[in-house]
């Protein structure tokens, strides 16, 4: 832990985007708890650095959104130029369906804006710890296979004889 706290200024800017994105999109609750615990540790180590990383992440996300918007605007301009071309009608019929499709934005556009406060991170970490404790208290059950039964497999299991029934041991053979 001391190595992490000594080098937090190098580690946190690298780790923050991945930790934040996974805290919002990962499907596993245990991973959520681990991520919130890591974010909480980084926040407690250096609050100022954590706030700087949060602001930097917000700025990067805003730049990415602006780039997507500029790219969409460039495609609209290009489409308008193409439509003003006199040969567009002859070529445009085959391209009509593809030009009406919308451009895809950033893959994580559904991630809400950054709102990382100490209270929220602590609450999420507590929830994850409670969930982990509940999971430890549950007894482990062994589930039977849910594969469909095969007649040939069932018949082979029923007719199977162990090899030990047919083999004689050295004491039975009389050779000692």
């Amino acid at each position: 832990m001391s190595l992490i706290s000594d080098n937090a200024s190098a580690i946190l800017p690298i780790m923050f985007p991945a930790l934040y994105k996974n805290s919002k999109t990962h499907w596993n609750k245990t991973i959520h708890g681990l991520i919130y615990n890591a974010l909480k540790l980084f926040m407690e180590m250096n609050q100022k650095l954590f706030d700087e990383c949060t602001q930097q992440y917000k700025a990067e996300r805003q730049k990415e959104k602006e780039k997507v918007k500029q790219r969409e605007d460039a495609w609209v301009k290009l489409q308008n130029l193409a439509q003003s071309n006199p040969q567009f009608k002859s070529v445009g019929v085959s391209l009509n369906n593809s030009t009406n499709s919308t451009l895809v934005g950033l893959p994580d556009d559904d991630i809400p804006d950054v709102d990382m406060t100490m209270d929220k991170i602590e609450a999420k970490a507590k929830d994850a710890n409670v969930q982990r404790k509940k999971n430890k208290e549950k007894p482990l059950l062994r589930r039977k296979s849910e594969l469909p039964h095969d007649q040939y497999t069932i018949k082979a299991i029923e007719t199977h004889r162990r090899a030990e029934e047919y083999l004689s041991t050295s004491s039975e053979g009389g050779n000692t």
Side-chain angles (χ1 to χ4, degrees):
M1 245 3 211
S2 64
L3 285 175
I4 293 174
S5 61
D6 292 344
N7 298 306
S9 60
I11 295 171
L12 188 57
I14 296 168
M15 294 294 298
F16 184 82
L19 287 172
Y20 181 78
K21 183 178 177 185
N22 284 326
S23 74
K24 299 297 180 190
T25 60
H26 203 279
W27 60 272
N28 191 324
K29 294 291 182 188
T30 305
I31 301 299
H32 280 264
L34 294 172
I35 289 170
Y36 282 114
N37 284 336
L39 287 170
K40 181 180 168 186
L41 284 172
F42 279 123
M43 186 182 284
E44 289 171 352
M45 281 182 202
N46 192 341
Q47 181 70 40
K48 182 180 176 186
L49 177 64
F50 190 86
D51 291 341
E52 288 172 8
C53 289
T54 304
Q55 295 302 321
Q56 183 180 1
Y57 183 75
K58 281 183 183 179
E60 287 175 9
R61 294 265 306 139
Q62 190 63 32
K63 286 179 186 177
E64 289 171 359
K65 287 179 182 180
E66 288 174 6
K67 281 184 182 180
V68 169
K69 179 71 173 144
Q70 289 174 351
R71 199 173 297 135
E72 288 175 356
D73 291 343
W75 277 108
V76 168
K77 286 181 183 178
L78 186 62
Q79 184 178 5
N80 291 338
L81 282 173
Q83 288 175 350
S84 66
N85 188 331
Q87 295 177 347
F88 177 76
K89 290 186 180 184
S90 62
V91 178
V93 173
S94 64
L95 297 176
N96 195 18
N97 291 337
S98 64
T99 57
N100 290 336
S101 65
T102 59
L103 294 174
V104 177
L106 296 174
D108 51 17
D109 274 343
D110 57 338
I111 299 175
D113 288 334
V114 179
D115 187 21
M116 302 296 258
T117 62
M118 185 66 155
D119 296 334
K120 287 184 180 182
I121 290 176
E122 284 180 350
K124 294 279 188 176
K126 282 182 184 178
D127 291 344
N129 286 336
V130 168
Q131 186 67 27
R132 195 174 336 147
K133 287 178 184 175
K134 285 181 183 177
N135 288 343
K136 284 183 180 178
E137 294 172 0
K138 290 182 183 177
L140 294 176
L141 299 176
R142 185 173 180 178
R143 267 186 11 194
K144 292 185 178 181
S145 174
E146 295 178 4
L147 295 173
H149 296 287
D150 181 23
Q151 294 176 4
Y152 300 109
T153 306
I154 293 171
K155 186 175 181 180
I157 291 172
E158 289 173 353
T159 60
H160 175 71
R161 301 286 176 234
R162 295 182 63 127
E164 293 146 356
E165 296 173 6
Y166 302 106
L167 298 175
S168 62
T169 60
S170 60
S171 63
E172 291 176 0
N175 296 340
T176 54

